[in-house]
Amino acid sequence: RWAEANFPALIEGLNPGLTEAEIEEATDISASKQLKQLYALANGESRKGIGFFFGLRFMPIHELARTAQMWRDIAGADPE
């Protein structure tokens, strides 16, 4: 738990993890084993988080699902 000892602000911004059922219920995204493990540890970070991934916010799963749907809609949209 290096981060807990050396960078507590990083850990304090994380949301509690989800169960596998909650992960599958929250999104229709085909989740890899690694993605499920990540969201089991933490359901993203709060808006007060400092940017878990190199300063970029770790999105909670509902935001991940909404963003993925938005990009699917954009990709399927007719440019005309």
Side-chain angles (χ1 to χ4, degrees), residues 1-78:
R1 306 287 184 181
W2 179 90
E4 290 173 348
N6 297 286
F7 202 177
L10 186 67
I11 302 301
E12 290 167 5
L14 295 176
N15 296 320
L18 300 171
T19 66
E20 188 168 343
E22 289 172 319
I23 294 167
E24 291 179 8
E25 191 176 299
T27 180
D28 64 350
I29 299 167
S30 177
S32 67
K33 178 181 173 184
Q34 292 84 0
L35 188 66
K36 288 178 183 178
Q37 289 172 336
L38 177 63
Y39 278 94
L41 291 172
N43 182 21
E45 66 182 300
S46 70
R47 294 255 177 224
K48 297 176 186 175
I50 61 172
F52 192 79
F53 294 110
F54 303 102
L56 300 173
R57 189 164 165 268
F58 174 19
M59 288 188 286
I61 202 157
H62 68 278
E63 287 183 41
L64 173 69
R66 189 173 51 233
T67 301
Q69 183 60 53
M70 177 193 68
W71 283 111
R72 284 194 295 268
D73 292 346
I74 290 169
D78 186 0

